[in-house]
Amino acid sequence: MTDASTLPGQPRGQVLSGPATERAVNVLAPNASAMTLDGTNTWIVAEPGSDLAVVIDPGPLDDGHLSTVVDTAEKAGRRIALTLLTHGHPDHAEGAARFAELTRTRVRALDPALRLGDEGLAAGDVITVGGLELRVVPTPGHTADSLSFHLPADRAVLTGDTILGRGTTVVAHPDGRLGDYLDSLRRLRSLTVDDGVHTVLPGHGPVLEDAQGAVEFYLAHRAHRLAQVETAVEDGYRTPAEVVAHVYPDVDRSLWPAAELSVRAQLDYLAEHGLI
């Protein structure tokens, strides 16, 4: 058995619904798959003693899950006052409109098409609800509209799909761009160095106790993959499918379509920088 403390980011262990930090509670959606890991983590975030809460990523359009999120907040004596989205992929956002109906809340997102209400989200925004403070951190790359939320009181960051609790994420070409993603990882590393963030609350997988270690692992992994792709092209592997088969032979073939998206993003990056 591998000691979790030796794994990148020091994952906490099994993914469970329940409290993760003093202010954040997870409600795990029943949509486990190879791409979503154990399922989508829907986060309820609230200041201790407050009767108001914020929900981040209601998840799939599953009435049972959405009702469980509402019930979990209400059992803690809280009313959901606002819904936020890290990005627009269906496993995070498909249930947002229905959830807004259930809770009579606004939905704030970077993408105007996902918003319900007049307010969106932008870099530098500070969201305050019932004494809770969340800071919006732009983290494009997985998708163009990806955001993270810095929870300074818990020295934590909610990362959506930008950093996962297990494995690595897809740069979802063409919407996602590798250069943006690398910049986003560096931005998150700054949070760990300059703002003392030590906990990652991801969109999928377990909580990570070592945020800086997780970011450093992701940056090293991306550099390694990029070098592999560059070498593969030099060796004559030209199409994205050929590169995937050469570079990702150890990856489950069911995940090769997702790997191909990342390869396309890597090929674009290499071409933009005159490396191929």
Side-chain angles (χ1 to χ4, degrees):
M1 181 178 294
T2 302
D3 183 353
S5 66
T6 67
L7 296 173
Q10 297 182 19
R12 188 171 292 179
Q14 188 176 2
V15 183
L16 297 171
S17 293
T21 66
E22 187 176 7
R23 290 165 179 80
V25 173
N26 182 32
V27 181
L28 181 62
N31 62 334
S33 72
M35 288 296 293
T36 60
L37 304 180
D38 309 85
T40 300
N41 295 328
T42 293
W43 293 102
I44 303 172
V45 190
E47 192 66 16
S50 174
D51 62 353
L52 299 178
V54 174
V55 164
I56 298 172
D57 290 352
L61 183 55
D62 181 309
D63 274 349
H65 172 64
L66 301 178
S67 295
T68 299
V69 175
V70 175
D71 291 345
T72 300
E74 289 181 347
K75 286 177 181 176
R78 294 189 170 113
R79 176 178 64 84
I80 296 166
L82 181 64
T83 302
L84 305 176
L85 297 177
T86 62
H87 66 295
H89 278 168
D91 55 315
H92 294 258
E94 186 183 37
R98 173 61 178 152
F99 189 71
E101 290 179 4
L102 293 173
T103 57
R104 297 181 181 179
T105 58
R106 295 166 294 146
V107 176
R108 295 181 64 180
L110 179 60
D111 184 349
L114 299 171
R115 300 172 189 166
L116 291 174
D118 295 331
E119 288 186 284
L121 292 170
D125 282 354
V126 178
I127 298 161
T128 56
V129 174
L132 178 77
E133 180 183 297
L134 288 167
R135 300 175 184 173
V136 178
V137 182
T139 48
H142 169 66
T143 61
D145 70 329
S146 287
L147 298 170
S148 295
F149 297 98
H150 178 200
L151 179 56
D154 282 350
R155 298 172 63 192
V157 61
L158 298 105
T159 55
D161 282 354
T162 299
I163 293 180
L164 304 177
R166 186 171 64 250
T168 55
T169 199
V170 172
V171 179
H173 180 276
D175 184 45
R177 296 176 56 83
L178 181 59
D180 292 342
Y181 187 65
L182 294 174
D183 288 343
S184 293
L185 291 176
R186 297 183 188 109
R187 192 170 296 117
L188 291 174
R189 180 171 58 187
S190 294
L191 285 183
T192 72
V193 174
D194 300 331
D195 295 278
V197 167
H198 62 68
T199 302
V200 173
L201 305 175
H204 304 279
V207 172
L208 299 177
E209 305 281 8
D210 176 16
Q212 186 172 353
V215 175
E216 297 291 357
F217 168 76
Y218 266 64
L219 284 166
H221 170 79
R222 284 296 166 197
H224 178 63
R225 283 298 196 206
L226 194 60
Q228 287 181 306
V229 170
E230 184 178 3
T231 299
V233 173
E234 291 172 352
D235 290 344
Y237 299 93
R238 297 298 182 187
T239 69
E242 289 172 344
V243 173
V244 168
H246 181 69
V247 173
Y248 294 79
D250 55 335
V251 173
D252 189 316
R253 283 179 175 252
S254 69
L255 298 177
W256 278 16
E260 186 171 321
L261 295 179
S262 285
V263 165
R264 289 178 181 274
Q266 289 164 332
L267 292 171
D268 278 2
Y269 181 87
L270 291 169
E272 288 164 5
H273 289 77
L275 297 173
I276 59 173

